[in-house]
Short mmCIF file of all heavy atoms in Angstrom, two decimals:
data_model
loop_
_atom_site.label_atom_id
_atom_site.label_comp_id
_atom_site.label_asym_id
_atom_site.label_seq_id
_atom_site.Cartn_x
_atom_site.Cartn_y
_atom_site.Cartn_z
N THR A 6 -6.03 -8.76 27.75
CA THR A 6 -5.43 -7.60 28.40
C THR A 6 -4.39 -6.97 27.50
O THR A 6 -3.92 -7.56 26.52
CB THR A 6 -4.78 -7.99 29.73
OG1 THR A 6 -3.75 -8.96 29.49
CG2 THR A 6 -5.80 -8.55 30.71
N VAL A 7 -4.01 -5.75 27.85
CA VAL A 7 -2.96 -5.02 27.15
C VAL A 7 -2.01 -4.46 28.21
O VAL A 7 -2.26 -4.56 29.41
CB VAL A 7 -3.54 -3.87 26.30
CG1 VAL A 7 -4.40 -4.42 25.17
CG2 VAL A 7 -4.35 -2.89 27.16
N HIS A 8 -0.90 -3.88 27.75
CA HIS A 8 0.01 -3.21 28.68
C HIS A 8 -0.70 -2.00 29.29
O HIS A 8 -1.29 -1.19 28.57
CB HIS A 8 1.26 -2.75 27.95
CG HIS A 8 2.10 -3.88 27.44
ND1 HIS A 8 3.05 -3.73 26.46
CD2 HIS A 8 2.11 -5.20 27.78
CE1 HIS A 8 3.62 -4.89 26.23
NE2 HIS A 8 3.07 -5.79 27.00
N GLY A 9 -0.60 -1.88 30.60
CA GLY A 9 -1.22 -0.76 31.27
C GLY A 9 -0.22 0.36 31.54
O GLY A 9 0.94 0.29 31.17
N MET A 10 -0.70 1.36 32.23
CA MET A 10 0.16 2.48 32.61
C MET A 10 1.04 2.14 33.80
O MET A 10 1.98 2.86 34.12
CB MET A 10 -0.70 3.70 32.95
CG MET A 10 -1.42 4.30 31.77
SD MET A 10 -0.32 5.26 30.72
CE MET A 10 -0.23 6.80 31.65
N GLN A 11 0.73 1.02 34.45
CA GLN A 11 1.56 0.52 35.53
C GLN A 11 2.02 -0.89 35.17
O GLN A 11 1.81 -1.34 34.05
CB GLN A 11 0.77 0.56 36.84
CG GLN A 11 0.38 1.99 37.24
CD GLN A 11 -0.49 2.04 38.49
OE1 GLN A 11 -1.62 1.60 38.50
NE2 GLN A 11 0.08 2.60 39.55
N ALA A 12 2.64 -1.58 36.09
CA ALA A 12 3.19 -2.89 35.77
C ALA A 12 2.12 -3.93 35.46
O ALA A 12 2.35 -4.85 34.68
CB ALA A 12 4.08 -3.37 36.92
N GLU A 13 0.94 -3.79 36.07
CA GLU A 13 -0.11 -4.78 35.87
C GLU A 13 -0.76 -4.63 34.50
O GLU A 13 -0.91 -3.52 33.98
CB GLU A 13 -1.20 -4.63 36.96
CG GLU A 13 -0.70 -4.79 38.37
CD GLU A 13 -0.03 -3.54 38.90
OE1 GLU A 13 -0.17 -2.47 38.26
OE2 GLU A 13 0.67 -3.64 39.93
N PRO A 14 -1.19 -5.75 33.90
CA PRO A 14 -1.93 -5.66 32.64
C PRO A 14 -3.27 -4.98 32.87
O PRO A 14 -3.80 -4.94 33.99
CB PRO A 14 -2.11 -7.12 32.21
CG PRO A 14 -1.96 -7.92 33.46
CD PRO A 14 -0.99 -7.15 34.33
N ALA A 15 -3.84 -4.44 31.80
CA ALA A 15 -5.07 -3.66 31.90
C ALA A 15 -6.08 -4.12 30.85
O ALA A 15 -5.73 -4.76 29.85
CB ALA A 15 -4.76 -2.17 31.70
N ALA A 16 -7.32 -3.78 31.09
CA ALA A 16 -8.36 -4.04 30.09
C ALA A 16 -8.14 -3.11 28.89
O ALA A 16 -7.75 -1.95 29.06
CB ALA A 16 -9.73 -3.79 30.69
N PRO A 17 -8.36 -3.59 27.69
CA PRO A 17 -8.12 -2.75 26.50
C PRO A 17 -9.15 -1.65 26.35
O PRO A 17 -10.31 -1.79 26.74
CB PRO A 17 -8.20 -3.75 25.35
CG PRO A 17 -9.09 -4.84 25.86
CD PRO A 17 -8.81 -4.94 27.33
N ASP A 18 -8.71 -0.54 25.78
CA ASP A 18 -9.64 0.54 25.43
C ASP A 18 -10.41 0.23 24.15
O ASP A 18 -11.51 0.77 23.95
CB ASP A 18 -8.87 1.86 25.22
CG ASP A 18 -8.28 2.42 26.50
OD1 ASP A 18 -8.90 2.22 27.57
OD2 ASP A 18 -7.21 3.03 26.44
N TRP A 19 -9.85 -0.62 23.30
CA TRP A 19 -10.41 -0.83 21.97
C TRP A 19 -10.65 -2.31 21.71
O TRP A 19 -9.87 -3.16 22.15
CB TRP A 19 -9.45 -0.29 20.89
CG TRP A 19 -9.02 1.12 21.18
CD1 TRP A 19 -7.78 1.54 21.54
CD2 TRP A 19 -9.85 2.28 21.18
NE1 TRP A 19 -7.77 2.90 21.76
CE2 TRP A 19 -9.03 3.38 21.54
CE3 TRP A 19 -11.19 2.51 20.90
CZ2 TRP A 19 -9.52 4.68 21.63
CZ3 TRP A 19 -11.69 3.80 20.99
CH2 TRP A 19 -10.85 4.87 21.35
N PRO A 20 -11.72 -2.65 20.99
CA PRO A 20 -11.97 -4.06 20.66
C PRO A 20 -10.89 -4.60 19.74
O PRO A 20 -10.27 -3.86 18.97
CB PRO A 20 -13.33 -4.03 19.97
CG PRO A 20 -13.45 -2.64 19.43
CD PRO A 20 -12.74 -1.76 20.42
N ARG A 21 -10.66 -5.90 19.84
CA ARG A 21 -9.69 -6.53 18.96
C ARG A 21 -10.17 -6.51 17.52
O ARG A 21 -11.37 -6.43 17.23
CB ARG A 21 -9.47 -7.98 19.39
CG ARG A 21 -8.62 -8.15 20.63
CD ARG A 21 -8.40 -9.63 20.95
NE ARG A 21 -7.28 -9.82 21.85
CZ ARG A 21 -6.77 -10.99 22.15
NH1 ARG A 21 -7.28 -12.10 21.63
NH2 ARG A 21 -5.75 -11.09 22.99
N LEU A 22 -9.22 -6.58 16.61
CA LEU A 22 -9.56 -6.71 15.19
C LEU A 22 -10.35 -7.99 14.98
O LEU A 22 -9.98 -9.06 15.48
CB LEU A 22 -8.28 -6.74 14.35
CG LEU A 22 -7.55 -5.42 14.16
CD1 LEU A 22 -6.12 -5.66 13.68
CD2 LEU A 22 -8.31 -4.54 13.17
N GLY A 23 -11.43 -7.87 14.20
CA GLY A 23 -12.31 -9.01 13.95
C GLY A 23 -12.32 -9.42 12.49
O GLY A 23 -11.91 -8.67 11.60
N GLN A 24 -12.83 -10.62 12.26
CA GLN A 24 -12.86 -11.16 10.91
C GLN A 24 -13.69 -10.30 9.97
O GLN A 24 -13.31 -10.07 8.82
CB GLN A 24 -13.43 -12.58 10.94
CG GLN A 24 -13.36 -13.33 9.61
CD GLN A 24 -11.92 -13.61 9.19
OE1 GLN A 24 -11.15 -14.12 9.99
NE2 GLN A 24 -11.57 -13.23 7.98
N GLY A 25 -14.85 -9.80 10.45
CA GLY A 25 -15.72 -9.02 9.59
C GLY A 25 -15.05 -7.76 9.07
O GLY A 25 -15.17 -7.43 7.88
N GLU A 26 -14.33 -7.04 9.94
CA GLU A 26 -13.69 -5.81 9.47
C GLU A 26 -12.49 -6.11 8.57
O GLU A 26 -12.20 -5.34 7.64
CB GLU A 26 -13.29 -4.91 10.64
CG GLU A 26 -12.26 -5.46 11.57
CD GLU A 26 -12.03 -4.54 12.77
OE1 GLU A 26 -11.91 -3.32 12.60
OE2 GLU A 26 -11.99 -5.06 13.90
N LEU A 27 -11.81 -7.22 8.80
CA LEU A 27 -10.73 -7.60 7.89
C LEU A 27 -11.27 -7.89 6.50
O LEU A 27 -10.70 -7.50 5.48
CB LEU A 27 -9.97 -8.81 8.43
CG LEU A 27 -9.13 -8.58 9.69
CD1 LEU A 27 -8.57 -9.90 10.20
CD2 LEU A 27 -8.00 -7.60 9.42
N ASP A 28 -12.42 -8.58 6.44
CA ASP A 28 -13.05 -8.86 5.15
C ASP A 28 -13.48 -7.57 4.46
O ASP A 28 -13.30 -7.41 3.25
CB ASP A 28 -14.26 -9.78 5.35
CG ASP A 28 -13.87 -11.18 5.79
OD1 ASP A 28 -12.69 -11.55 5.62
OD2 ASP A 28 -14.74 -11.89 6.33
N ALA A 29 -14.04 -6.63 5.23
CA ALA A 29 -14.46 -5.36 4.64
C ALA A 29 -13.25 -4.56 4.18
O ALA A 29 -13.27 -3.93 3.10
CB ALA A 29 -15.26 -4.56 5.67
N LEU A 30 -12.19 -4.59 4.95
CA LEU A 30 -10.98 -3.85 4.59
C LEU A 30 -10.33 -4.42 3.34
O LEU A 30 -9.70 -3.68 2.56
CB LEU A 30 -10.01 -3.90 5.78
CG LEU A 30 -8.83 -2.93 5.81
CD1 LEU A 30 -9.29 -1.49 5.72
CD2 LEU A 30 -8.00 -3.16 7.06
N ALA A 31 -10.50 -5.71 3.11
CA ALA A 31 -9.90 -6.35 1.94
C ALA A 31 -10.46 -5.82 0.62
O ALA A 31 -9.83 -5.95 -0.42
CB ALA A 31 -10.11 -7.86 2.02
N ARG A 32 -11.63 -5.20 0.67
CA ARG A 32 -12.18 -4.61 -0.56
C ARG A 32 -11.30 -3.47 -1.06
O ARG A 32 -11.23 -3.20 -2.26
CB ARG A 32 -13.60 -4.11 -0.32
CG ARG A 32 -14.56 -5.20 0.12
CD ARG A 32 -15.99 -4.69 0.28
NE ARG A 32 -16.81 -5.66 0.97
CZ ARG A 32 -17.42 -5.46 2.14
NH1 ARG A 32 -17.32 -4.26 2.73
NH2 ARG A 32 -18.14 -6.40 2.71
N GLU A 33 -10.62 -2.78 -0.16
CA GLU A 33 -9.71 -1.71 -0.54
C GLU A 33 -8.26 -2.18 -0.56
O GLU A 33 -7.44 -1.67 -1.30
CB GLU A 33 -9.85 -0.53 0.43
CG GLU A 33 -8.81 0.58 0.27
CD GLU A 33 -8.81 1.24 -1.10
OE1 GLU A 33 -9.85 1.17 -1.80
OE2 GLU A 33 -7.78 1.81 -1.49
N LEU A 34 -7.96 -3.19 0.26
CA LEU A 34 -6.59 -3.70 0.36
C LEU A 34 -6.59 -5.18 -0.03
O LEU A 34 -6.78 -6.07 0.82
CB LEU A 34 -6.08 -3.53 1.79
CG LEU A 34 -5.74 -2.09 2.18
CD1 LEU A 34 -5.89 -1.87 3.67
CD2 LEU A 34 -4.32 -1.76 1.74
N PRO A 35 -6.39 -5.48 -1.30
CA PRO A 35 -6.49 -6.86 -1.77
C PRO A 35 -5.53 -7.83 -1.10
O PRO A 35 -5.77 -9.04 -1.12
CB PRO A 35 -6.18 -6.73 -3.28
CG PRO A 35 -6.52 -5.32 -3.62
CD PRO A 35 -6.19 -4.52 -2.41
N VAL A 36 -4.43 -7.33 -0.51
CA VAL A 36 -3.52 -8.24 0.16
C VAL A 36 -4.18 -8.94 1.34
O VAL A 36 -3.69 -9.97 1.81
CB VAL A 36 -2.24 -7.53 0.65
CG1 VAL A 36 -1.44 -6.98 -0.52
CG2 VAL A 36 -2.56 -6.44 1.67
N LEU A 37 -5.31 -8.40 1.81
CA LEU A 37 -6.01 -9.01 2.93
C LEU A 37 -7.05 -10.03 2.50
O LEU A 37 -7.74 -10.62 3.35
CB LEU A 37 -6.68 -7.93 3.79
CG LEU A 37 -5.74 -6.93 4.47
CD1 LEU A 37 -6.53 -5.95 5.34
CD2 LEU A 37 -4.71 -7.65 5.32
N LEU A 38 -7.20 -10.26 1.21
CA LEU A 38 -8.15 -11.27 0.74
C LEU A 38 -7.77 -12.63 1.32
O LEU A 38 -6.60 -13.01 1.34
CB LEU A 38 -8.16 -11.32 -0.78
CG LEU A 38 -8.81 -10.12 -1.48
CD1 LEU A 38 -8.55 -10.16 -2.97
CD2 LEU A 38 -10.31 -10.07 -1.19
N GLY A 39 -8.78 -13.33 1.76
CA GLY A 39 -8.53 -14.64 2.35
C GLY A 39 -7.97 -14.57 3.75
O GLY A 39 -7.40 -15.55 4.24
N ALA A 40 -8.13 -13.43 4.41
CA ALA A 40 -7.59 -13.29 5.76
C ALA A 40 -8.28 -14.26 6.72
O ALA A 40 -9.51 -14.37 6.73
CB ALA A 40 -7.79 -11.86 6.25
N SER A 41 -7.47 -14.95 7.49
CA SER A 41 -8.00 -15.83 8.51
C SER A 41 -7.99 -15.10 9.85
O SER A 41 -7.69 -13.90 9.91
CB SER A 41 -7.14 -17.10 8.60
OG SER A 41 -5.81 -16.76 8.95
N ARG A 42 -8.32 -15.78 10.91
CA ARG A 42 -8.25 -15.14 12.22
C ARG A 42 -6.83 -14.64 12.47
O ARG A 42 -5.85 -15.29 12.07
CB ARG A 42 -8.63 -16.14 13.30
CG ARG A 42 -10.12 -16.44 13.36
CD ARG A 42 -10.41 -17.39 14.51
NE ARG A 42 -10.00 -16.80 15.79
CZ ARG A 42 -10.10 -17.45 16.96
NH1 ARG A 42 -10.58 -18.68 16.99
NH2 ARG A 42 -9.72 -16.87 18.07
N PRO A 43 -6.70 -13.50 13.14
CA PRO A 43 -5.34 -13.01 13.44
C PRO A 43 -4.51 -14.05 14.19
O PRO A 43 -5.00 -14.76 15.06
CB PRO A 43 -5.62 -11.78 14.31
CG PRO A 43 -6.96 -11.30 13.87
CD PRO A 43 -7.74 -12.54 13.56
N LEU A 44 -3.24 -14.12 13.82
CA LEU A 44 -2.33 -15.06 14.45
C LEU A 44 -1.88 -14.59 15.83
O LEU A 44 -1.53 -15.40 16.68
CB LEU A 44 -1.10 -15.25 13.56
CG LEU A 44 -1.37 -15.74 12.13
CD1 LEU A 44 -0.07 -15.73 11.34
CD2 LEU A 44 -2.00 -17.12 12.15
N TRP A 45 -1.86 -13.27 16.02
CA TRP A 45 -1.38 -12.69 17.28
C TRP A 45 -1.92 -11.28 17.40
O TRP A 45 -1.94 -10.52 16.43
CB TRP A 45 0.15 -12.67 17.28
CG TRP A 45 0.78 -11.89 18.38
CD1 TRP A 45 0.93 -12.26 19.69
CD2 TRP A 45 1.36 -10.57 18.29
NE1 TRP A 45 1.55 -11.27 20.41
CE2 TRP A 45 1.85 -10.23 19.57
CE3 TRP A 45 1.54 -9.67 17.24
CZ2 TRP A 45 2.46 -9.02 19.84
CZ3 TRP A 45 2.15 -8.45 17.51
CH2 TRP A 45 2.61 -8.13 18.80
N HIS A 46 -2.39 -10.93 18.59
CA HIS A 46 -2.87 -9.57 18.86
C HIS A 46 -1.83 -8.83 19.68
O HIS A 46 -1.35 -9.33 20.70
CB HIS A 46 -4.19 -9.61 19.63
CG HIS A 46 -5.34 -10.13 18.83
ND1 HIS A 46 -6.09 -9.33 18.00
CD2 HIS A 46 -5.85 -11.38 18.72
CE1 HIS A 46 -7.03 -10.06 17.42
NE2 HIS A 46 -6.91 -11.31 17.85
N SER A 47 -1.48 -7.63 19.26
CA SER A 47 -0.50 -6.83 19.97
C SER A 47 -1.04 -6.42 21.34
O SER A 47 -2.21 -6.04 21.46
CB SER A 47 -0.15 -5.58 19.16
OG SER A 47 0.64 -4.70 19.93
N PRO A 48 -0.19 -6.43 22.38
CA PRO A 48 -0.61 -5.95 23.70
C PRO A 48 -0.47 -4.44 23.89
O PRO A 48 -0.73 -3.93 24.98
CB PRO A 48 0.33 -6.70 24.65
CG PRO A 48 1.59 -6.85 23.86
CD PRO A 48 1.16 -7.05 22.43
N ARG A 49 -0.05 -3.75 22.84
CA ARG A 49 0.09 -2.29 22.96
C ARG A 49 -1.30 -1.67 23.14
O ARG A 49 -2.26 -2.05 22.45
CB ARG A 49 0.77 -1.71 21.74
CG ARG A 49 2.04 -2.48 21.33
CD ARG A 49 3.31 -1.80 21.78
NE ARG A 49 4.47 -2.57 21.36
CZ ARG A 49 5.46 -2.09 20.63
NH1 ARG A 49 5.42 -0.82 20.22
NH2 ARG A 49 6.49 -2.84 20.32
N PRO A 50 -1.44 -0.67 24.01
CA PRO A 50 -2.77 -0.29 24.47
C PRO A 50 -3.54 0.74 23.64
O PRO A 50 -4.75 0.84 23.80
CB PRO A 50 -2.50 0.27 25.86
CG PRO A 50 -1.12 0.84 25.76
CD PRO A 50 -0.37 -0.08 24.83
#
């Protein structure tokens, strides 16, 4: 869940960041080489 427009948590509009896209992004951003699973996902919506 993410923060909703009201007090209750809400379903996210967007899929979480995944390992495959981090690996693809690392081709342009070398600092992401060797990226493991995200340590924490932001609840911002």
Side-chain angles (χ1 to χ4, degrees):
T6 60
V7 295
H8 294 162
M10 292 284 280
Q11 297 176 293
E13 301 80 13
D18 291 328
W19 310 111
R21 284 183 162 188
L22 285 163
Q24 187 66 50
E26 64 185 314
L27 291 173
D28 292 342
L30 194 57
R32 300 183 193 119
E33 171 60 22
L34 287 152
V36 296
L37 297 182
L38 289 170
S41 61
R42 286 183 60 183
L44 303 174
W45 169 78
H46 292 275
S47 171
R49 312 259 180 124

